[in-house]
Amino acid sequence: MDSTNSSAHAVSASASSEVPKIAPLAKYKLVFLGDQSVGKTSIITRFMYDQFEKSYQATIGIDFLSKTMYLEDRTVRLQLWDTAGQERFRSLIPSYIRDSSVAVIVYDITDRASFLNSSKWIDEVRTERGNDVVLMLVGNKTDLSDRRQVSSEEGASKAKEEGVLFIETSAKGNFNIKLLFRRLATALPGVDSNGHGQNTNVVDIKLQPSPTIETGENGKRCC
């Protein structure tokens, strides 16, 4: 072989060996469940785009959104699966629950039936995933507190009884949306209570701190 070609080949081989290996993104699948019109899409839209639409078309089947978060020295991808609440799409849900890391059960605090039905959604998740999933019960639409049919205490009590996380939110008022995802992040498998990954295959998701009580433009508590 020509010495020039031999030298070029050696440089090429050396350059190839120096190319850093890029670790794949840690991915977590979050499935949002609950009756129709409880605000699943609104919560996801607020988190993804910091927007709220006064009216949404009903989700048909399953919608999927992915958000890549760049965190200090690591990157994580959240896969958000927005499911339809209508009964005619119920048969599709189990297949999307099976490989999920998190299941978020949403009810409308102004609709007691949606709260009572949350038990069925929790049971469905446990049928598919057992205890290998993070479950959170979310009471949405706190901006409509004058029409409340489910108290915060009742929601918290049900969550305790079911052994799941609990939070109340308002997608419209942007109340506790970031806190919702921060609490889910710290509860992910392999992440300790301080949000620190316990091994190199798990990513620590950190969102900016959100106050326990958020206020609206008039300085009053939003809900």
Side-chain angles (χ1 to χ4, degrees), residues 107-112 114 138-145 147-151 168-169:
Y107 67 89
D108 177 352
I109 68 163
T110 72
D111 180 359
R112 188 163 187 80
S114 71
V138 178
N140 191 38
K141 303 189 183 181
T142 57
D143 54 287
L144 302 176
S145 58
R147 292 161 49 187
R148 181 187 284 273
Q149 294 182 7
V150 183
S151 69
E168 287 194 335
T169 62

Side-chain angles (χ1 to χ4, degrees), residues 21-37:
K21 294 182 179 180
I22 301 175
L25 286 180
K27 297 179 182 179
Y28 294 102
K29 181 176 179 180
L30 285 66
V31 180
F32 285 72
L33 305 166
D35 289 0
Q36 183 178 4
S37 301

Side-chain angles (χ1 to χ4, degrees), residues 87-207:
E87 188 65 33
R88 64 195 175 108
F89 295 114
R90 198 69 177 259
S91 62
L92 298 175
I93 305 301
S95 61
Y96 291 94
I97 295 175
R98 282 175 199 141
D99 60 346
S100 61
S101 301
V102 176
V104 182
I105 315 298
V106 184
Y107 67 89
D108 177 352
I109 68 163
T110 72
D111 180 359
R112 188 163 187 80
S114 71
F115 172 69
L116 296 176
N117 288 339
S118 65
S119 296
K120 297 179 181 179
W121 291 106
I122 291 173
D123 289 344
E124 188 158 350
V125 171
R126 288 200 164 130
T127 296
E128 298 297 333
R129 298 288 287 130
N131 294 321
D132 297 328
V133 64
V134 175
L135 269 163
M136 177 175 274
L137 183 64
V138 178
N140 191 38
K141 303 189 183 181
T142 57
D143 54 287
L144 302 176
S145 58
D146 57 325
R147 292 161 49 187
R148 181 187 284 273
Q149 294 182 7
V150 183
S151 69
S152 298
E153 293 76 15
E154 191 172 7
S157 177
K158 182 182 184 65
K160 183 177 181 180
E161 178 183 331
E162 295 282 2
V164 304
L165 300 173
F166 173 73
I167 195 171
E168 287 194 335
T169 62
S170 169
K172 182 177 182 179
N174 197 15
F175 174 69
N176 276 350
I177 299 299
K178 288 183 179 179
L179 180 59
L180 160 62
F181 284 91
R182 187 170 73 251
R183 289 186 62 192
L184 288 175
T186 58
L188 284 169
V191 180
D192 65 26
S193 60
N194 294 318
H196 299 141
Q198 296 174 355
N199 61 62
T200 57
N201 295 321
V202 177
V203 172
D204 171 13
I205 303 176
K206 292 181 181 177
L207 303 177

Side-chain angles (χ1 to χ4, degrees), residues 8-56:
H9 178 74
V11 170
S12 176
S14 176
S16 298
S17 64
E18 293 174 0
V19 174
K21 294 182 179 180
I22 301 175
L25 286 180
K27 297 179 182 179
Y28 294 102
K29 181 176 179 180
L30 285 66
V31 180
F32 285 72
L33 305 166
D35 289 0
Q36 183 178 4
S37 301
V38 295
K40 301 183 294 295
T41 302
S42 296
I43 289 173
I44 292 173
T45 302
R46 174 64 80 176
F47 176 63
M48 291 286 297
Y49 311 114
D50 195 21
Q51 295 178 353
F52 178 82
E53 300 292 337
K54 291 184 178 179
S55 62
Y56 288 91

